[in-house]
Amino acid sequence: MNKIFTTLKGLSLIATGAVIITACSKGNPTSTNPGKESTVTGLAYNEENGFEVKDFQGQPEGPNLVYIEGGRTVLGSFEEDILKSGDNVERTVTVASFYMDETEIANIHWLEYLFYIQRDSSQEFYESALPDTNVWASELAYNDPYVEHYLRYPGFRYFPLVGVNWIQAVDYCTWRTRVVNNELAKDAGVEVPEGGGRIPLESGVVLPNYRLPSEAEWEYAAQALIGNQWLDENQTHKRLYPWDGHALRNPYGKQMGMFLANFKRGRGDYAGIAGKLNDGAMITTYIYEYPPNDFGLYNMAGNVNEWVYDVYRPLSFQDFDDLNPLRRNGFLDEEKGYDKAGFQSLIDDHVRVYKGGSWKDVAYWMSPGTRRYLAEDSCTATIGFRCAMIQAGTNY
């Protein structure tokens, strides 16, 4: 004999013998479809003087961002430790899904930034944001044209920005978050607070913060091992570079024999010979040059090194968590431990990691697991950056 027990509005429990089946005429509530009333109090949403639940259709798309599906990976160098630094020992970790710029930040992007902050910020801040074009200068080389033209000449618009330090890159991320979210709010009809105040996250129309990627995120995105998963949860091999194989040249099709990245080919050889400039760049090159990796990211090897968020420590791979690893400071590895009698270490809480190799580096540094470091207020002609962003509202 069947018996129907009505418990809550729209919810029935049907008992047949020992089997109980739960049915809900409208389905369970979700973030994008929370229903008209609370499932725990029965109070209606969005009534006068009641709790307001904004419409939400998922995290908006951020300009230039590519989705990086997270997962398990092995961080650390797949290359020989030629410097005997022991600072990139292999470690299995899990990295949550996130977003990353498909390209490096280019000169035109920074000129746009300078335009708006000159109009909206103090002269002091504007001057602090100017790249150091003298990073190209050399007493024993004629690099003067790059000093004068690289940043502002239109022909270099979509070449990667250089001459910015880690602090400037972080400031750019803050500015980009504000202007992108202001535009999204205006498009959605949400009031933007006067004076650049915070648009409530509850509005559902704004993005999380743009920021520098963690070292783990950057390395994971560069490896792009999503292209190596053939059977169930197994990745058949790791990658030395962001592409398959140990070769630096394309082995397929019409591009066979062409280099896959912009790097220094050998001593004194930046591009090859006239009439056959194989890697096409004596310095930096177009940010969309060379094939993207399996995540759709361009120039994750070569062109310019890239700043990441992490403070540098040799033993980070030993210390950090195995879920979303990040080193913010000297926790468990204080900087004072590196200063010995008569010796001043370069390691402190204001030294940051950079990765990826550049136009001026040999191929060794293009392996995603290799790592170097520099003071956060320093800059060179070989370091740029790209932004990243969390994927909010997800458990993976």
Side-chain angles (χ1 to χ4, degrees):
M1 184 178 74
N2 294 345
K3 188 174 181 181
I4 299 177
F5 301 92
T6 301
T7 55
L8 295 174
K9 183 179 180 181
L11 179 64
S12 297
L13 300 181
I14 305 175
T16 306
V19 179
I20 296 179
I21 303 172
T22 303
C24 183
S25 60
K26 295 183 180 179
N28 295 324
T30 66
S31 296
T32 55
N33 186 21
K36 295 183 178 180
E37 60 188 35
S38 169
T39 57
V40 294
T41 65
L43 297 176
Y45 295 141
N46 300 325
E47 294 287 331
E48 186 177 357
N49 297 321
F51 180 60
E52 187 175 14
V53 178
K54 298 283 190 181
D55 182 51
F56 177 64
Q57 298 303 319
Q59 184 171 329
E61 287 190 12
N64 202 46
L65 294 180
V66 171
Y67 175 68
I68 310 296
E69 183 180 4
R72 182 194 69 225
T73 191
V74 178
L75 299 182
S77 183
F78 198 47
E79 263 282 19
E80 181 183 359
D81 185 8
I82 59 174
L83 299 181
K84 305 300 181 185
S85 59
D87 67 350
N88 51 1
V89 178
E90 292 186 330
R91 170 85 180 275
T92 300
V93 303
T94 293
V95 177
S97 299
F98 63 103
Y99 293 88
M100 180 177 274
D101 275 329
E102 68 174 351
T103 65
E104 300 139 338
I105 297 300
N107 289 321
I108 192 171
H109 303 139
W110 200 264
L111 292 174
E112 175 192 29
Y113 171 52
L114 293 176
F115 170 81
Y116 284 108
I117 63 172
Q118 185 174 34
R119 189 177 68 180
D120 302 334
S121 303
S122 67
Q123 182 65 20
E124 181 182 10
F125 182 76
Y126 169 75
E127 291 176 1
S128 74
L130 292 171
D132 184 1
T133 59
N134 285 318
V135 293
W136 292 104
S138 173
E139 292 293 336
L140 299 175
Y142 182 63
N143 291 338
D144 305 44
Y146 306 137
V147 175
E148 298 172 5
H149 296 85
Y150 183 79
L151 175 63
R152 298 183 183 274
Y153 185 70
F156 290 117
R157 279 175 176 164
Y158 284 94
F159 281 43
L161 173 75
V162 297
V164 292
N165 60 43
W166 183 91
I167 298 170
Q168 290 172 308
V170 170
D171 286 341
Y172 176 85
C173 293
T174 302
W175 171 84
R176 185 178 175 188
T177 299
R178 179 171 58 83
V179 297
V180 170
N181 280 340
N182 284 355
E183 197 65 21
L184 287 171
K186 290 176 183 176
D187 291 344
V190 174
E191 184 178 353
V192 177
E194 292 185 11
R198 174 180 173 270
I199 302 168
L201 287 173
E202 296 85 351
S203 68
V205 302
V206 294
L207 289 165
N209 292 341
Y210 286 89
R211 56 176 174 79
L212 292 179
S214 69
E215 181 176 7
E217 287 174 333
W218 193 99
E219 187 174 329
Y220 178 83
Q223 287 182 13
L225 293 180
I226 193 170
N228 287 358
Q229 184 172 322
W230 305 108
L231 298 171
D232 193 30
E233 291 192 64
N234 296 317
Q235 288 167 332
T236 58
H237 58 282
K238 198 174 177 181
R239 284 174 166 158
L240 181 60
Y241 303 113
W243 55 84
D244 283 346
H246 290 70
L248 297 167
R249 299 174 186 262
N250 193 328
Y252 305 112
K254 294 182 179 179
Q255 298 298 314
M256 183 182 295
M258 300 302 292
F259 279 112
L260 291 165
N262 176 20
F263 66 104
K264 187 175 181 180
R265 296 154 38 123
R267 187 174 298 169
D269 184 1
Y270 290 85
I273 60 175
K276 199 66 176 178
L277 297 175
N278 195 316
D279 78 0
M282 296 177 188
I283 55 167
T284 57
T285 193
Y286 183 49
I287 58 174
Y288 294 97
E289 194 72 48
Y290 308 105
N293 71 6
D294 285 339
F295 277 130
L297 303 171
Y298 291 87
N299 289 297
M300 293 299 283
N303 214 20
V304 290
N305 292 286
E306 298 177 16
W307 288 112
V308 297
Y309 186 85
D310 293 57
V311 165
Y312 175 78
R313 285 296 190 276
L315 300 180
S316 286
F317 285 75
Q318 171 182 296
D319 296 334
F320 58 33
D321 290 353
D322 60 4
L323 174 63
N324 299 325
L326 173 72
R327 178 171 283 287
R328 308 169 193 270
N329 50 42
F331 178 68
L332 296 181
D333 198 354
E334 299 295 333
E335 60 185 38
K336 62 184 179 182
Y338 291 90
D339 291 333
K340 308 299 181 182
F343 173 74
Q344 181 70 36
S345 172
L346 297 177
I347 298 174
D348 65 33
D349 292 347
H350 300 284
V351 168
R352 303 286 173 167
V353 177
Y354 66 91
K355 298 175 76 72
S358 78
W359 60 273
K360 200 174 183 180
D361 291 316
V362 295
Y364 174 84
W365 296 109
M366 295 196 298
S367 185
T370 56
R371 58 201 304 248
R372 286 177 286 182
Y373 55 94
L374 188 68
E376 63 185 28
D377 60 355
S378 298
C379 58
T380 76
T382 63
I383 303 179
F385 73 100
R386 71 181 79 207
C387 301
M389 178 187 292
I390 64 168
Q391 184 194 21
T394 180
N395 63 346
Y396 61 84

